[in-house]
Amino acid sequence: MSTHSRGPAKKRTPPTWEQFKTAVRRHDRDSLLLVLASLSAADARDEMPEVAARYGLNPWNLASVARTALAWGGFQRPVATPENAAYLGMVDANIGDEAVVTGDVKDESERLSKVLTRIFFEQFPGQRHAPAEVARSILLFGSAGEQPPDFAPEAMVPGWFEEITSGMSIDDYVASVFLIFVGARMNRGIFDLRWLEGAHFAELGEVIDLDAVRRTFNEYLVTTPKAFKAENRKWQDPLPSPQKKYAFNPLQDKPFIEIEAGTTVAPWVQAILMKALPPSIYFMGLRAYRNAFSRDLGHIYQHYVGRQLRQIGGLSSVIPEVAYGPKTSRRDSCDWFLDLPGVLVLIECKARQPIESLRVGGDDWMRSIEESIHKGINQVNRSNADIEKIAALNPEIDVEKPRVGLVITLEPFYINNNPLLQEELPAADVPVAIISVGELEMLVCADADEIARVLLEAPRLAANEIMRLAPALDVPTNSENSLLMQTWDSLPFFRRLESYVTETTPSTTPDP
């Protein structure tokens, strides 16, 4: 009697991006886009069907499938089903890092940092808290915005947004995007401007300019498959295969696709609302006014951070920057000093956005960090070194207290989530944490004593004094951010539109 022994099981190789593209191309493009839109709308309503939930499908997987279908898909192929879309999303989620698959790994630490950063920028932007982000758009750019005293803007003069949009206010633009998002969310990713002509939408004219809705949809949210392909090539073609799935997805800029006469579908419904959030508005201003806009925003963002800091309850004091040094070579201190019980916080604000190379883990992936966060840490170091000179000009600054620093970015760089990335930062002379303004908006809901405790007790990397503040941001608080809530509540169309559209938007396609 002979015996047969099995050899060692073969290690399963993760799919490559090229294999994923091939799998997507097996399905009819437009039917796949309709299924993806319906699934992403269901996810936006927290009603993901069981067929997709079973695969652990997420919006960013749907977005990747949709981009690939638009860029490479065709017709006269099998009609796509929800099961097909869910399977393709799973393939996308499991695409392997091809440097590992091929064994081409030279620096394991840097490779892992790039992989983690790609994942963070793929997943975390889709997990934003919409009401807070929309309110921040109005606070930075809209009717609730404030400019610093004695500030002379180069670009962000009154009416700057109306100049870009030929007369539409930013409040109307944001409200229009919100209306279209809610409509598509409730209607399986489809929105039809003809709905606005019905009697049931007439009441909305009391709280929103329906012409602004039409203009916003036609001018800022819709594109054609041909135009999408051309735009996508700009972002994906220059990249090697391991980075292609992480490239900027043009659906973030134009989330609706005209797939046939009278049908516009959003295969990534969550991307609609992104058009009302600060990053999209920032790039609208940057395209129109270039560097003058970014310079202006730096001042306005710094002022906004001060508005948030002044909400802290308890014994605290918010002190603005101080100009010091000889008259011929004056310097500005860090942007804000926050005096808390037992600690003085040196704060530097950075409005610069993460660059594409950081998102995809490209060769110059550290450049935007060096130009933003590195500079912020160095500016905190300089103010710490010159604290005696600065305090001599403003005695409110208590030099006897222990000092820590905060670098607060307008958009997340996800530093707190990546210890390997933290190790790339310059050494800080005092403990420094890097947080986004969204995290600051949560932090200021705690009182001064609790914030001081968090800052003094946060763990840090011994090598460079960079604090890991993310785990400590879940501080006990029973309050909400009043500045954000007041802004949201002051614009009645937000809550009214959501409830109204939920009741009146017609349904045109069945759920999968």
Side-chain angles (χ1 to χ4, degrees), residues 12-64:
R12 198 167 182 179
T13 303
T16 65
W17 179 82
E18 294 289 346
Q19 291 169 332
F20 165 66
K21 181 179 77 171
T22 299
V24 172
R25 294 190 68 202
R26 295 192 183 107
H27 303 281
D28 172 73
R29 187 196 72 187
D30 285 3
S31 65
L32 181 55
L33 292 176
L34 286 167
V35 170
L36 292 167
S38 186
L39 290 173
S40 69
D43 181 80
R45 301 192 308 268
D46 294 323
E47 298 173 2
M48 184 69 86
E50 194 273 336
V51 64
R54 186 168 63 244
Y55 284 94
L57 201 59
N58 289 298
W60 51 88
N61 304 132
L62 297 173
S64 184

Side-chain angles (χ1 to χ4, degrees), residues 113 116 120 414-424 461 464 468:
S113 294
L116 289 174
F120 292 153
Y414 306 116
I415 294 293
N416 283 329
N417 299 294
N418 192 340
L420 292 169
L421 195 56
Q422 286 182 325
E423 293 173 359
E424 300 290 333
L461 294 177
N464 59 8
R468 298 189 61 193

Side-chain angles (χ1 to χ4, degrees), residues 5-291:
S5 61
R6 294 182 180 178
K10 289 185 178 180
K11 188 175 180 180
R12 198 167 182 179
T13 303
T16 65
W17 179 82
E18 294 289 346
Q19 291 169 332
F20 165 66
K21 181 179 77 171
T22 299
V24 172
R25 294 190 68 202
R26 295 192 183 107
H27 303 281
D28 172 73
R29 187 196 72 187
D30 285 3
S31 65
L32 181 55
L33 292 176
L34 286 167
V35 170
L36 292 167
S38 186
L39 290 173
S40 69
D43 181 80
R45 301 192 308 268
D46 294 323
E47 298 173 2
M48 184 69 86
E50 194 273 336
V51 64
R54 186 168 63 244
Y55 284 94
L57 201 59
N58 289 298
W60 51 88
N61 304 132
L62 297 173
S64 184
V65 175
R67 179 234 288 271
T68 308
L70 280 163
W72 306 101
F75 307 101
Q76 297 178 344
R77 296 168 182 171
V79 172
T81 66
E83 290 82 359
N84 298 146
Y87 171 76
L88 292 171
M90 183 190 68
V91 175
D92 173 75
N94 285 284
I95 292 175
D97 185 296
E98 292 173 39
V100 174
V101 174
T102 62
D104 183 20
V105 179
K106 297 182 177 65
D107 185 332
E108 178 63 23
S109 176
E110 181 177 0
R111 186 200 65 77
L112 184 55
S113 294
K114 290 181 178 181
V115 170
L116 289 174
T117 303
R118 292 172 190 167
I119 293 171
F120 292 153
F121 276 97
E122 178 187 37
Q123 298 183 9
F124 289 168
Q127 302 175 33
R128 306 168 81 111
H129 182 50
E133 300 270 355
V134 170
R136 191 185 310 139
S137 291
I138 301 299
L139 282 159
L140 284 171
F141 305 110
S143 59
E146 288 184 7
Q147 294 190 352
D150 303 320
F151 171 60
E154 300 175 70
M156 297 179 71
V157 297
W160 68 267
F161 191 82
E162 286 83 349
E163 182 178 7
I164 291 176
T165 59
S166 300
M168 181 165 49
S169 75
I170 194 163
D171 287 18
D172 279 344
Y173 168 81
V174 170
S176 297
V177 172
F178 188 77
L179 165 62
I180 294 164
F181 164 71
V182 173
R185 185 185 69 181
M186 301 308 299
N187 199 52
R188 301 158 187 87
I190 291 173
F191 190 84
D192 192 331
L193 284 176
R194 289 173 293 188
W195 298 343
L196 302 182
E197 299 169 8
H200 53 277
F201 269 90
E203 184 182 335
L204 286 177
E206 300 175 9
V207 291
I208 188 172
D209 182 349
L210 295 183
D211 285 337
V213 177
R214 295 182 181 92
R215 287 193 53 208
T216 298
F217 188 74
N218 287 326
E219 297 175 22
Y220 298 100
L221 299 181
V222 182
T223 191
T224 64
K226 182 178 179 180
F228 178 94
K229 284 184 180 183
E231 183 66 20
N232 187 64
R233 291 183 69 91
K234 297 177 187 177
W235 298 98
Q236 277 197 323
D237 281 7
L239 300 177
S241 289
Q243 298 175 22
K244 286 186 186 294
K245 71 167 284 188
Y246 301 103
F248 175 78
N249 189 333
L251 286 172
Q252 283 186 243
D253 185 47
K254 295 291 180 67
F256 283 94
I257 306 293
E258 296 177 358
I259 60 171
E260 57 185 62
T263 301
T264 49
V265 60
W268 183 15
V269 167
Q270 291 80 359
I272 304 169
L273 190 58
M274 292 182 192
K275 291 288 290 183
L277 305 188
S280 290
I281 298 171
Y282 167 81
F283 283 109
M284 290 174 72
L286 191 65
R287 282 192 292 264
Y289 302 113
R290 300 189 179 276
N291 290 338

Side-chain angles (χ1 to χ4, degrees), residues 300-492:
I300 291 171
Y301 171 59
Q302 178 180 333
H303 182 72
Y304 176 74
V305 168
R307 296 171 72 185
Q308 288 292 342
L309 294 172
R310 291 188 181 95
Q311 294 187 93
I312 297 172
L315 189 60
S316 67
S317 177
V318 181
I319 305 164
E321 69 182 356
V322 175
Y324 66 99
K327 290 183 179 180
T328 55
S329 56
R330 300 287 276 178
R331 284 181 166 182
D332 288 330
S333 71
C334 58
D335 294 327
W336 297 101
F337 297 90
L338 176 62
D339 190 283
L340 296 172
V343 62
L344 179 67
V345 189
L346 282 57
I347 297 173
E348 189 65 27
C349 309
K350 292 298 176 187
R352 189 178 181 88
Q353 309 286 301
I355 61 172
E356 180 71 2
S357 184
L358 177 62
R359 291 167 36 87
V360 303
D363 291 339
D364 63 342
W365 67 299
M366 285 295 294
R367 180 161 57 88
S368 64
I369 291 178
E370 291 169 353
E371 294 175 352
S372 179
I373 295 171
H374 280 217
K375 286 185 177 180
I377 293 172
N378 290 333
Q379 286 164 318
V380 168
N381 284 346
R382 188 177 69 189
S383 288
N384 179 66
D386 293 343
I387 196 69
E388 299 284 351
K389 298 176 185 176
I390 296 168
L393 296 170
N394 189 337
E396 289 185 69
I397 299 171
D398 188 346
V399 299
E400 300 300 321
K401 288 184 174 181
R403 294 187 286 278
V404 301
L406 286 179
V407 176
I408 305 174
T409 61
L410 177 55
E411 285 302 304
F413 282 71
Y414 306 116
I415 294 293
N416 283 329
N417 299 294
N418 192 340
L420 292 169
L421 195 56
Q422 286 182 325
E423 293 173 359
E424 300 290 333
L425 300 176
D429 297 336
V430 295
V432 173
I434 300 95
I435 64 173
S436 69
V437 74
E439 291 169 314
L440 175 71
E441 289 163 354
M442 293 188 293
L443 190 64
V444 299
C445 295
D447 65 25
D449 288 312
E450 187 62 25
I451 296 172
R453 183 193 65 77
V454 165
L455 293 175
L456 289 170
E457 296 180 3
R460 62 202 65 172
L461 294 177
N464 59 8
E465 284 292 288
I466 301 301
M467 294 191 288
R468 298 189 61 193
L469 196 57
L473 283 171
D474 189 19
V475 293
T477 176
N478 295 318
S479 62
E480 295 179 312
N481 189 298
S482 60
L483 187 57
L484 297 177
M485 292 302 298
Q486 288 168 10
T487 301
W488 179 269
D489 291 336
S490 70
L491 300 167

